[in-house]
Amino acid sequence: MKANALVMEEPGELSQKEIDIPEIGDDEVLLRVELSGICGSDVHMNEGGMDLDFPVVPGHEFAGVIEEVGDDVRTDSKGEEITEGDAATVVPGIVCGDCWYCDNVPARPTTCENRDVYGYFNVDEPPYGHGGFSEYVVIEDRASFYKLPDDMDVELGALAEPLSVATHALEQAYKPGMPHAREGFGPGKSIAVQGVGPVGLLTVAAANNAGAGNIIVIDAVEKRLEFARKFGADNLVDLTEHDGDEALNEHVSSLTNGNVGPDVVVESAGYPPAVRQGIEILRDGGTLVEVGHFAYNGEVEINPTRLVQKYVDIRGSLVYPPSQFETSIELLDQLDGEVPFRDLFNYKVGFEGAEEAYEKQANGEAYRATIHPGGI
Ligand SMILES: [Zn+2]
Ligand SMILES: [Zn+2]
């Protein structure tokens, strides 16, 4: 069958085209895409920052409605029965299941040596798993997908991906059984989130729901800081009001129990100097999670002596295992109405508005611009 799609011929060159969608096999599912978010990494791809085999149909944060179910498919990846007409969302990353990393380090699927990702495939080559900027996507048998709860708005399904990034980053700061020893994150603990774009905001919502005692958000854009309050932030720190790292440290410390700095810092700004700031803001013996630099954004000098003197833990966080989608869908369901998730989608377009949507996402006007293949 044919489907309308948005094809990136080369970085910066988008065109609307008809593409071929293969007939689904017995163990595959066909999804009609309702919406697909434009992520920071899509912007990066558009700007030429990714070495891909173009042309590709981008889009890895998508949700839609199941159009056709292969004869041998009964359930989603969680084991819930599915049928045509169910809303669902797809985990974009697909691991090979065969390499050394798949066998030995399955909790970190990005280490797979042969990983495929929806939204990064070449359009003309098998397995034809196109991204979400297409009317239809084939969910192949290697991929994980999850049905949304019956009463959940399909739109929210497009947040399962970024919320998985956020919840996984927060989970990096948990030390099993240790919060009483003030190790890592736990109920009542303080956390600072640097950069409140979508992943930062979703981290705030997740931390708040997990019982954080004090959530400090740090950003240079006042409007974003105010918005973060709706996601559960307690203290807003505007970078433009503090001259230099020392002044910033002092202020952030003054907001915490004992004036020592937060127990946990999540760096979700993706701005190199924020990493150094984050290490200094953190209380001694605290945990810093680095999730913002999913793509190369420059470098920063780190003084290793500070890491030892402060005796801090630093953890990188990249994506998540597929079951993280269960956590995210659960949270989206639980917190809908309480947390203004839908307000993140503040720039919705059909294919024709795509270029502008990329611009709005790149310049920060959109929290999460979304492409709706069926129109708005
Ligand atoms: Zn993304
Ligand atoms: Zn593998």
Side-chain angles (χ1 to χ4, degrees):
M1 72 186 269
K2 299 272 183 198
N4 274 315
L6 202 60
V7 178
M8 190 171 286
E9 310 283 358
E10 286 296 331
E13 205 189 311
L14 285 167
S15 61
Q16 198 180 319
K17 263 192 174 170
E18 262 197 349
I19 58 169
D20 286 313
I21 300 283
E23 280 300 310
I24 60 162
D26 289 346
D27 40 19
E28 295 180 325
V29 171
L30 184 69
L31 187 81
R32 180 167 49 77
V33 178
E34 289 273 338
L35 79 168
S36 184
I38 301 178
C39 168
S41 60
D42 292 313
V43 170
H44 194 65
M45 182 197 299
N46 194 39
E47 289 168 352
M50 272 185 202
D51 185 21
L52 301 177
D53 182 15
F54 291 96
V56 304
V57 175
H60 60 271
E61 303 178 358
F62 56 95
V65 173
I66 293 174
E67 181 95 354
E68 200 184 332
V69 181
D71 286 345
D72 294 344
V73 184
R74 300 276 171 277
T75 67
D76 69 359
S77 302
K78 188 181 168 188
E80 292 238 7
E81 281 191 28
I82 53 155
T83 111
E84 279 140 31
D86 284 341
T89 179
V90 182
V91 179
I94 305 173
V95 297
C96 76
D98 265 342
C99 70
W100 187 91
Y101 281 101
C102 281
D103 284 343
N104 293 280
V105 196
R108 301 188 190 218
T110 52
T111 58
C112 167
E113 288 164 341
N114 315 299
R115 188 167 169 266
D116 286 324
V117 186
Y118 280 100
Y120 298 82
F121 289 117
N122 181 289
V123 178
D124 306 312
E125 294 191 16
Y128 307 106
H130 308 307
F133 298 172
S134 166
E135 282 178 300
Y136 293 97
V137 168
V138 174
I139 307 173
E140 55 170 296
D141 64 330
R142 298 180 304 151
S144 301
F145 72 102
Y146 294 90
K147 172 177 152 37
L148 302 179
D150 289 332
D151 55 354
M152 186 188 277
D153 183 351
V154 62
E155 249 187 39
L156 287 181
L159 286 178
E161 203 283 334
L163 185 55
S164 293
V165 172
T167 53
H168 190 61
L170 180 64
E171 287 174 4
Q172 300 288 339
Y174 280 74
K175 308 283 166 70
M178 294 294 274
H180 68 284
R182 293 209 82 94
E183 291 290 331
F185 184 72
K189 297 295 178 285
S190 55
I191 176 169
V193 176
Q194 299 174 283
V196 276
V199 168
L201 289 167
L202 294 171
T203 302
V204 169
N208 190 39
N209 189 55
N214 178 11
I215 303 177
I216 301 161
V217 291
I218 305 170
D219 202 294
V221 182
E222 203 189 336
K223 204 177 88 189
R224 289 195 171 226
L225 287 165
E226 283 299 333
F227 191 46
R229 207 185 275 290
K230 295 186 184 163
F231 285 72
D234 300 297
N235 287 291
L236 316 180
V237 176
D238 188 338
L239 282 168
T240 62
E241 288 171 9
H242 302 278
D243 207 10
D245 283 4
E246 219 164 294
L248 177 72
N249 273 350
E250 222 170 278
H251 178 63
V252 173
S253 293
S254 76
L255 301 171
T256 61
N257 175 6
N259 301 320
V260 291
D263 298 303
V264 172
V265 170
V266 176
E267 197 290 297
S268 52
Y271 172 61
V275 181
R276 190 175 52 217
Q277 274 171 1
I279 293 166
E280 292 303 328
I281 286 165
L282 193 61
R283 73 157 166 82
D284 290 3
T287 304
L288 177 114
V289 181
E290 170 50 51
V291 64
H293 286 80
F294 51 83
Y296 183 76
N297 238 355
E299 289 169 30
V300 67
E301 217 166 86
I302 303 283
N303 175 353
T305 306
R306 295 296 292 147
L307 305 183
V308 181
Q309 283 174 341
K310 287 183 64 98
Y311 201 165
V312 290
D313 289 354
I314 300 188
R315 306 212 47 181
S317 188
L318 181 63
V319 200
Y320 43 79
S323 61
Q324 198 81 34
F325 265 48
E326 291 183 36
T327 303
S328 303
I329 292 167
E330 182 61 44
L331 276 189
L332 288 165
D333 196 26
Q334 246 182 56
L335 300 179
D336 188 23
E338 204 176 301
V339 173
F341 289 123
R342 265 170 275 242
D343 293 353
L344 289 170
F345 298 129
N346 59 346
Y347 198 78
K348 302 177 182 182
V349 295
F351 287 143
E352 49 306 321
E355 265 173 49
E356 228 182 317
Y358 267 83
E359 265 166 47
K360 300 272 182 202
Q361 189 64 41
N363 69 21
E365 274 179 66
Y367 283 106
R368 188 53 98 232
T370 47
I371 308 260
H372 299 247
I376 306 294

